[in-house]
């Protein structure tokens, strides 16, 4: 079972700590992309419903799985939450008694699974929930190893007056530990979480193991081309017809 880093302390302040994620300019392209792919969707790592709730308002039937009961409790308190059925569980292994045309996983959440085996099981679980021809979508960052100075293991990804963020890389284990420091009301608050970073090509192999093939890959939700300089990707794999 993966570690649940998103306890009540983080759930209660999630939007305040990462306000950029709730910007309509960030949410709307993702929702539009996903709404164009499926009529019934399952979100792995549904969290507070940042994407699931507006997607449901588009008329898509949405269900969600999340390991954090605290995050789901926040979702249940949001307007329109009745439209999104939720289950507390590990999205790599929890099975629902339903199939979908779309399974999706956003904002680097695949890296919350900190072993390769768990990530492979996530792909298998997605395929098990998909109807033939259905799609699995992941939004994830490209590992920032190129930005590490020679001999260094730490990369700063957020530097502001109220928030500092550093990624600490262990290249032997393919683990990156995210360290966050927030200054709020005159005091420092900290949060650290472990992640297994993963390359797009490795995700493609996991998809093939699960009976899916890459259909499209973009640098973001607005379908800008993915290149060697892209720092993130949105990838779509399609389950084979008849599987």
């Amino acid at each position: 079972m993966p570690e649940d880093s998103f306890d009540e302390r983080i759930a209660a302040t999630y939007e305040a700590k990462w306000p950029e994620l709730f910007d309509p300019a960030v949410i709307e392209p993702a929702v539009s992309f996903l709404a164009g792919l499926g009529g019934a969707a399952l979100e792995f790592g549904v969290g507070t419903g940042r994407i699931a709730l507006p997607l449901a308002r588009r008329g898509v039937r949405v269900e969600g799985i999340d390991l954090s009961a605290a995050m789901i409790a926040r979702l249940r308190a949001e307007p329109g939450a009745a439209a999104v059925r939720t289950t507390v569980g590990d999205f790599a292994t929890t099975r629902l008694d339903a199939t979908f045309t779309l399974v999706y996983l956003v904002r680097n959440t695949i890296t919350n699974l900190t072993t390769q085996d768990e990530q492979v099981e996530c792909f298998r679980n997605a395929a098990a929930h998909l109807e033939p021809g259905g799609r699995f979508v992941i939004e994830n960052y490209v590992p920032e190893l190129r930005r590490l100075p020679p001999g260094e293991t730490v990369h700063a990804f957020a530097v502001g007056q109220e928030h500092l963020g550093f990624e600490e890389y262990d290249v032997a284990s393919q683990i990156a530990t995210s360290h966050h420091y927030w200054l709020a009301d005159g005091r420092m608050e900290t949060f650290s979480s472990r992640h297994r970073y993963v390359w797009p090509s490795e995700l493609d192999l996991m998809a093939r193991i699960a009976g899916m093939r890459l259909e499209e890959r973009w640098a973001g939700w607005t379908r800008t081309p993915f290149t060697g300089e892209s720092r993130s990707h949105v990838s779509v794999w399609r389950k084979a017809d008849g599987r």
Side-chain angles (χ1 to χ4, degrees):
M1 176 72 71
E3 179 183 354
D4 178 12
S5 299
F6 295 86
D7 57 15
E8 178 55 39
R9 177 177 70 97
I10 296 299
T13 57
Y14 187 72
E15 185 170 353
K17 284 182 167 60
W18 290 279
E20 68 279 5
L21 297 178
F22 293 82
D23 186 336
V26 173
I27 292 175
E28 288 305 316
V31 171
S32 294
F33 187 107
L34 296 168
L37 292 181
L42 171 62
E43 180 172 355
F44 284 172
V46 67
T48 62
R50 182 179 66 94
I51 299 298
L53 290 171
L55 187 59
R57 289 195 290 269
R58 293 282 191 97
V60 178
R61 179 174 68 84
V62 184
E63 299 192 29
I65 300 172
D66 202 289
L67 187 62
S68 172
M71 295 287 276
I72 284 186
R74 293 284 164 175
L75 185 160
R76 304 279 12 127
E78 292 290 330
V84 179
R85 178 185 171 192
T86 54
T87 300
V88 176
D90 174 6
F91 59 73
T93 56
T94 299
R95 296 287 174 89
L96 304 183
D97 187 20
T99 57
F100 304 84
T101 54
L102 171 67
V103 177
Y104 67 94
L105 191 160
V106 301
R107 208 222 158 197
N108 313 322
T109 306
I110 185 69
T111 68
N112 290 356
L113 303 173
T114 55
T115 70
Q116 188 180 69
D117 285 346
E118 289 174 329
Q119 291 175 349
V120 168
E121 286 307 307
C122 174
F123 273 81
R124 286 178 167 149
N125 200 28
H129 283 99
L130 284 172
E131 298 174 1
R135 294 173 173 91
F136 184 33
V137 178
I138 285 181
E139 175 193 25
N140 199 45
Y141 73 98
V142 177
E144 300 272 44
L145 299 185
R146 289 174 58 192
R147 302 181 188 280
L148 289 174
E152 298 295 324
T153 59
V154 178
H155 167 66
F157 61 84
V159 179
Q161 292 184 338
E162 298 179 350
H163 178 213
L164 296 175
F166 301 92
E167 204 87 76
E168 182 182 6
Y169 285 89
D170 181 342
V171 296
S173 63
Q174 209 163 311
I175 293 293
T177 303
S178 296
H179 302 286
H180 297 268
Y181 304 85
W182 291 276
L183 184 62
D185 300 325
R187 63 184 182 86
M188 182 68 71
E189 184 175 353
T190 65
F191 172 67
S192 295
S193 56
R194 295 174 72 252
H195 304 268
R196 182 182 188 271
Y197 62 85
V198 60
W199 303 94
S201 58
E202 189 180 1
L203 294 174
D204 290 343
L205 183 56
M206 293 179 187
R208 292 183 66 178
I209 290 170
M212 298 181 284
R213 296 279 181 162
L214 181 68
E215 185 173 66
E216 51 183 315
R217 172 168 291 132
W218 306 98
W221 296 109
T222 58
R223 288 186 165 89
T224 52
F226 179 78
T227 72
E229 299 302 315
S230 298
R231 299 181 70 173
S232 63
H233 64 97
V234 172
S235 298
V236 181
W237 298 273
R238 184 166 183 164
K239 182 177 177 178
D241 293 334
R243 278 185 70 100

